[in-house]
Amino acid sequence: MASDETETSLLVIVVDVNPAQRILVEHRHKLTHCLDAIIAFANSHLMLCTTNKLAMLACNAESSEFVFPDENASVVTCRQQDGQYELFTHTERTIRQGLQRFVLDSTRHTHTQTLVAESLLAGAFTMALCYIHRLERELAAGIKMNSRILVVTGSGDSASQYMNYMNVFFTAQKHNIILDVCSLDQNLGLLQQGCDITGGLYLKLTVARLPGLLEYLLWVFLPEPPIRKKLVLPPPVKVDYRAACFCHRQLVDIGYVCSVCLSIFCKFSPICTTCHAVFRTPGALPVKPKKKKPKMSL
């Protein structure tokens, strides 16, 4: 078993701050409460071990951006407040300033446009994977880093990003990166698939349970994956493994699969739009002739 001196844990938190989320549209004041809980959770991760690392991204319908760490900020120049550890003060201040800057920049661009409920979570996941890969390449010899991603979102499923999601999920699985999801009052079938593929946890919180967001984050998502097996956690949800068709980007129960590139379509097409393979049009099923009953002679 590796010692604490040769093993570190990296947690990348993806926060969805899209103002078109249903929970924010109906309960605008909940955003501040959620951010306070996420920041306290992030400091708790740093408090577990001195070698633990943290990163945070914010995303909406237009872009994704790192809000922590900030290369321009310095822990040395950050003064202690109310007896708080300097690292926690630096983390909280940097995250709040980064989120404020990100939200204000997004508000200026979408002031005259209609709010879009689809957030670019797949892009944020990709940035998180690239960041993890860069830190792994910079590790010194003999040091192991366990990486995981936690997304907190209230946006609905986006079948138009299905291929991007699948690429991210299987890339994370290949590199042993855990994906955890905390859904705020939404059923997210695609992200459930990502949690199941990578071995992460999926938790849905209703509006009534939202005041206890910090307690749920500490209970379910703070422990490392090897420790979770020894804890009593919420029962796993039934994963919706429906795929999205490549033609309309909609989840389908029954569809047509290209035998060459495995693309999925909701309706039959003689030519695959992905690999341009040509198929024969299915003809009508042959009808067997009815057997004539022999006549009975008197």
Side-chain angles (χ1 to χ4, degrees):
M1 185 174 181
S3 62
D4 294 338
E5 297 179 355
T6 59
E7 187 170 351
T8 180
S9 177
L10 170 62
L11 173 63
V12 182
I13 304 177
V14 178
V15 183
D16 188 356
V17 294
N18 189 350
Q21 299 177 80
R22 185 177 65 185
I23 193 170
L24 296 183
V25 172
E26 299 177 357
H27 310 276
R28 185 68 63 178
H29 62 283
K30 296 292 185 181
L31 177 60
T32 304
H33 170 74
C34 293
L35 294 181
D36 291 341
I38 294 172
I39 293 174
F41 169 75
N43 282 333
S44 300
H45 170 74
L46 295 176
M47 186 173 57
L48 287 179
C49 185
T50 56
T51 59
N52 282 1
K53 298 181 181 180
L54 174 72
M56 182 177 294
L57 293 98
C59 71
N60 55 16
E62 292 187 342
S63 62
S64 302
E65 182 181 316
F66 275 96
V67 296
F68 185 86
D70 188 357
E71 297 180 354
N72 299 324
S74 175
V75 183
V76 178
T77 59
C78 186
R79 294 184 178 180
Q80 190 182 55
Q81 293 182 353
D82 299 331
Q84 188 180 30
Y85 181 40
E86 288 85 352
L87 178 60
F88 297 163
T89 304
H90 165 72
T91 302
E92 180 176 357
R93 181 180 301 176
T94 305
I95 292 176
R96 291 189 184 277
Q97 292 176 353
L99 288 173
Q100 183 180 12
R101 180 180 64 252
F102 180 79
V103 172
L104 290 178
D105 292 344
S106 302
T107 304
R108 296 191 188 101
H109 292 99
T110 60
H111 183 69
T112 58
Q113 300 178 5
T114 305
L115 294 178
V116 181
E118 180 179 331
S119 297
L120 301 179
L121 290 175
F125 291 153
T126 304
M127 294 177 63
L129 291 177
C130 293
Y131 179 78
I132 293 172
H133 181 64
R134 179 167 65 88
L135 291 188
E136 288 179 346
R137 294 184 61 182
E138 296 175 354
L139 288 176
I143 299 180
K144 178 183 178 182
M145 185 174 69
N146 300 319
S147 306
R148 53 195 176 107
I149 302 174
L150 169 65
V151 55
V152 182
T153 177
S155 299
D157 261 338
S158 177
S160 61
Q161 302 181 53
Y162 175 79
M163 286 303 301
N164 297 332
Y165 276 131
M166 291 299 113
N167 290 333
V168 168
F169 297 158
F170 287 106
T171 301
Q173 181 193 43
K174 181 179 179 180
H175 293 276
N176 297 320
I177 299 174
I178 305 297
L179 174 63
D180 297 324
V181 175
C182 181
S183 174
L184 306 180
D185 199 34
Q186 288 280 7
N187 290 316
L188 306 177
L190 292 180
L191 294 185
Q192 289 179 17
Q193 297 182 28
C195 293
D196 189 59
I197 291 172
T198 61
L201 296 177
Y202 174 87
L203 178 66
K204 175 189 173 184
L205 293 180
T206 59
V207 178
R209 296 183 178 181
L210 202 58
L213 175 61
L214 178 58
E215 286 77 3
Y216 282 104
L217 292 176
L218 296 176
W219 170 36
V220 179
F221 300 113
L222 183 60
E224 295 290 332
I227 305 176
R228 295 176 181 177
K229 301 177 182 179
K230 304 178 182 179
L231 301 177
V232 180
L233 299 175
V237 296
K238 184 178 180 181
V239 182
D240 182 7
Y241 263 107
R242 288 184 300 168
C245 64
F246 283 44
C247 46
H248 301 94
R249 303 298 182 184
Q250 296 178 352
L251 298 179
V252 294
D253 296 317
I254 300 177
Y256 296 86
V257 181
C258 174
S259 58
V260 179
C261 65
L262 302 181
S263 298
I264 302 171
F265 303 96
C266 58
K267 295 181 180 179
F268 175 79
S269 176
I271 301 177
C272 176
T273 57
T274 304
C275 65
H276 305 289
V278 181
F279 304 99
R280 292 186 302 175
T281 304
L285 295 176
V287 180
K288 294 183 178 180
K290 295 183 178 180
K291 295 182 179 180
K292 295 183 180 180
K293 296 182 179 180
K295 296 182 179 180
M296 300 295 293
S297 58
L298 297 176

